[in-house]
Amino acid sequence: MLRIATWNMDYWKRNELLRQKAWDYLDSSKIDVALLQESRPNGQGKSIVFQEYGIIDDRKGKPRNLGWGSSIVSFGPQIKQIETALSPFSRTPVSLHRTFPGSVAIGEIQMEKPIIVISMYGLIDRGYAESTVHRMLSDITPLIDERKGQ
């Protein structure tokens, strides 16, 4: 049985002590894979999918790296990061990280029958997280198309 948890870790609101307590809790929780938002994994877990710069935020002018974002952390099976997919409508791989890069982490859990997992954070843009999530779902459409029926 594969145990998966999801958690918004509130990285930007927490101090170092609270962040470490959260990681200690995850490490002791006996889960296999954590889908995390507002996180910054620093070597925790066996296998990690995370953009080192975190989310690239361009909402207020010049893009800046927030340092935190979405991640996938495995305390068990290996995870392979997925950044592109081959759409049936394109001859070249399509990036799956177009809307606020770092706000989505996509990985394939390496098992007998591999499983794709996605951690997604709806950054509020112009007052709405919903519109950001809609754009991110559109961004991952090539991945869904590529694996249709699997």
Side-chain angles (χ1 to χ4, degrees), residues 51 53-66 68-70 95-105 119-136 139:
Q51 300 295 333
Y53 48 74
I55 294 172
I56 297 178
D57 185 359
D58 64 356
R59 295 174 297 173
K60 296 179 182 170
K62 184 179 176 191
R64 64 190 174 100
N65 301 338
L66 296 182
W68 54 267
S70 291
S95 173
L96 303 171
H97 302 278
R98 298 173 55 92
T99 303
F100 298 116
S103 62
V104 176
S119 178
M120 186 178 287
Y121 175 70
L123 193 67
I124 297 171
D125 184 25
R126 299 178 191 116
Y128 297 95
E130 294 85 352
S131 57
T132 302
V133 171
H134 284 290
R135 290 193 304 269
M136 290 188 294
D139 292 346

Side-chain angles (χ1 to χ4, degrees), residues 6-33:
T6 184
W7 187 5
N8 182 317
M9 298 185 80
D10 284 339
Y11 179 90
W12 63 280
K13 291 189 248 178
R14 307 289 179 226
N15 63 37
E16 282 302 316
L17 177 62
L18 289 174
R19 291 175 188 150
Q20 189 54 53
K21 282 184 176 185
W23 284 108
D24 292 345
Y25 174 78
L26 271 176
D27 200 28
S28 68
S29 67
K30 300 189 185 343
I31 60 168
D32 299 305
V33 176

